[in-house]
Amino acid sequence: MKKSKSEIKKILKILSETYPESKTALKYSNNFELLIAVMLSAQTTDNQVNKVTPELFKRFKTPYDFAKFNPEELEEYIKGVGLYKTKSKNIIKTCQILVEKYNGEIPQTREELMELPGVGRKTANVILSVAFGKDAIAVDTHVFRVANRIGLANAKDVKKTEEDLMKEIPKNLWGQAHHWLIYHGRNICKARNPKCDICPIKELCDYNQK
């Protein structure tokens, strides 16, 4: 059921008050480290990524460092994350492109970011929002699930969910709403056994009304 503007406003207000300190759980010290961490986080928990990145970032500090190595050497540092062999190849290729095409800097448009190996739309949107403060909403598994359960979106795929959220949520809140929905998905609106009994937005949620 389509939400009214007042219902959406209420949902966003409650989520903002419930998760006031919400931000990415990935640990990084600069935008380049954020890019690598987000690439590693695909189909892997942020906690698992945070276990491998301290040693990784001690050894490799810039795109120039990564670009010199072969995938097998990098694999030793990221074995703790899922799909590490593929991610190793993509990270090295991406860093080589950053060195050759962008002088080691990270491009600031979605189109350029998505041309980097291993960088899909979700990763690009995270970088645009978190690293560069641009209005973008990244849809990961938590955002997809929670948005469609609540009724902020009515979509069967990630791209359409993103489009629905962009229509329903004020543009200046896209980046924050991304984190609110993630936190809500991790803490209450879990994939299995969601905690509807303690959910602060249960009266406004489509899933709870069924």
Side-chain angles (χ1 to χ4, degrees), residues 82-110:
L83 307 175
Y84 71 92
K85 287 181 180 288
T86 300
K87 289 174 183 176
S88 178
K89 289 174 189 166
N90 285 337
I91 286 170
I92 287 174
K93 283 180 192 168
T94 281
C95 289
Q96 288 169 344
I97 293 169
L98 293 179
V99 168
E100 292 162 11
K101 191 172 178 181
Y102 298 104
N103 296 315
E105 298 296 319
I106 299 172
Q108 295 190 34
T109 70
R110 184 182 290 109

Side-chain angles (χ1 to χ4, degrees), residues 7-20:
E7 286 175 320
I8 292 168
K9 194 173 179 181
K10 274 186 202 170
I11 288 169
L12 295 175
K13 183 173 186 293
I14 292 167
L15 290 176
S16 72
E17 290 168 351
T18 307
Y19 310 107

